[in-house]
Amino acid sequence: MKTENQRVEHWNTIYQSKNENEVSWYQEYPEASIELIKELNLPLSAHIIDIGGGESRLVDVLLDLGYTNITVLDISEKALKKSKNRLGEKSKLVKWVVTDITEFNPTEKYDLWHDRAAFHFLTAEENVKKYALIAERAINQDGFLIMGTFSDKGPTKCSGLEINQYTDKTLKSIFERFFELNNFKYLDHSTPFNTVQNFLFCTFQRK
């Protein structure tokens, strides 16, 4: 298992050496995430955090929709720098957090925690448990957790790293102590390389 410093170096190298559309997770428009977020009917003042946001364009769409309290967290400072450059002046409307998610110490509570990028890279059971506890502490009562992970029909590795695959049942079992599973869907993501990856998206609500 890589150390935290090795993980930071790994992701900084990827973001430094590849363009935005040269990584498998690239989406010009994050349709699945946006649809699930819209279903929640959150007020535009809702506090939203995107975990493993990197260069994702989710933040662009949320800003365009009028949300005013957005945080983007990623282990790679270089990834977040690219997003800031893309957004230009708008980047000042966003809080940017550079940290390994397992070391995240939230200083505010969130109404929505979104993750389509980080969780499935946590392969050690200890880190999976850490993540769930951090999310539990960080999400408001009745707040939401939207989790997108590789499904059991998805890839077994990503960016040269082992990942964990999930089903709705196994994902529910990790979060059910503090969260209620509201809904889930399996869907295919088409990569820029004309391959298909199967994802599981779950929406949980904090008990």
Side-chain angles (χ1 to χ4, degrees), residues 20-37:
E20 181 187 22
N21 61 354
E22 292 177 330
V23 293
S24 63
W25 54 88
Y26 171 71
Q27 293 177 300
E28 188 173 346
Y29 181 83
E31 184 177 359
S33 296
I34 291 299
E35 280 184 8
L36 290 172
I37 291 170

Side-chain angles (χ1 to χ4, degrees), residues 106-125:
T107 56
E108 62 180 296
K109 293 269 195 175
Y110 301 99
D111 302 300
L112 171 61
W113 172 296
H114 172 273
D115 183 343
R116 179 191 170 259
F119 184 69
H120 49 219
F121 284 105
L122 304 179
T123 54
E125 187 178 351

Side-chain angles (χ1 to χ4, degrees), residues 12-121:
N12 276 336
T13 299
I14 284 175
Y15 282 108
Q16 195 165 19
S17 61
K18 293 180 183 291
N19 292 323
E20 181 187 22
N21 61 354
E22 292 177 330
V23 293
S24 63
W25 54 88
Y26 171 71
Q27 293 177 300
E28 188 173 346
Y29 181 83
E31 184 177 359
S33 296
I34 291 299
E35 280 184 8
L36 290 172
I37 291 170
K38 284 181 174 178
E39 286 173 10
L40 301 178
N41 291 316
L42 296 169
L44 295 179
S45 59
H47 288 253
I48 299 173
I49 186 166
D50 187 21
I51 305 297
E55 275 190 279
S56 167
R57 292 181 176 242
L58 181 69
V59 62
D60 308 53
V61 181
L62 291 175
L63 286 169
D64 288 344
L65 289 172
Y67 289 97
T68 55
N69 289 299
I70 305 168
T71 301
V72 181
L73 178 149
D74 202 275
I75 195 171
S76 170
E77 188 171 9
K78 294 192 183 303
L80 296 185
K81 187 177 178 183
K82 283 186 166 186
S83 280
K84 289 180 192 177
N85 289 341
R86 185 183 70 239
L87 287 168
E89 280 297 305
K90 281 186 175 180
S91 68
K92 295 174 183 174
L93 303 173
V94 179
K95 293 176 188 171
W96 306 91
V97 179
V98 180
T99 188
D100 185 315
I101 183 54
T102 62
E103 301 300 322
F104 181 38
N105 187 20
T107 56
E108 62 180 296
K109 293 269 195 175
Y110 301 99
D111 302 300
L112 171 61
W113 172 296
H114 172 273
D115 183 343
R116 179 191 170 259
F119 184 69
H120 49 219
F121 284 105

Side-chain angles (χ1 to χ4, degrees), residues 76-195:
S76 170
E77 188 171 9
K78 294 192 183 303
L80 296 185
K81 187 177 178 183
K82 283 186 166 186
S83 280
K84 289 180 192 177
N85 289 341
R86 185 183 70 239
L87 287 168
E89 280 297 305
K90 281 186 175 180
S91 68
K92 295 174 183 174
L93 303 173
V94 179
K95 293 176 188 171
W96 306 91
V97 179
V98 180
T99 188
D100 185 315
I101 183 54
T102 62
E103 301 300 322
F104 181 38
N105 187 20
T107 56
E108 62 180 296
K109 293 269 195 175
Y110 301 99
D111 302 300
L112 171 61
W113 172 296
H114 172 273
D115 183 343
R116 179 191 170 259
F119 184 69
H120 49 219
F121 284 105
L122 304 179
T123 54
E125 187 178 351
E126 165 195 3
N127 286 334
V128 171
K129 286 179 178 175
K130 263 191 193 177
Y131 183 110
L133 287 171
I134 292 168
E136 178 266 323
R137 285 204 315 270
I139 299 173
N140 275 321
Q141 193 77 31
D142 296 324
F144 295 93
L145 162 65
I146 292 177
M147 180 65 71
T149 69
F150 289 129
S151 79
D152 58 339
K153 295 180 178 62
T156 55
K157 294 183 83 169
C158 181
S159 297
L161 298 176
E162 299 290 331
I163 58 93
N164 270 354
Q165 297 176 318
Y166 289 96
T167 66
D168 53 288
K169 291 182 178 60
T170 56
L171 200 60
K172 179 185 176 183
S173 69
I174 289 167
F175 292 101
E176 65 185 353
R177 182 177 164 196
F178 302 112
F179 296 90
E180 193 79 39
L181 177 60
N182 281 1
N183 56 62
F184 65 88
K185 63 172 75 173
Y186 291 86
L187 49 86
D188 287 332
H189 163 63
S190 298
T191 74
F193 322 120
N194 296 317
T195 58

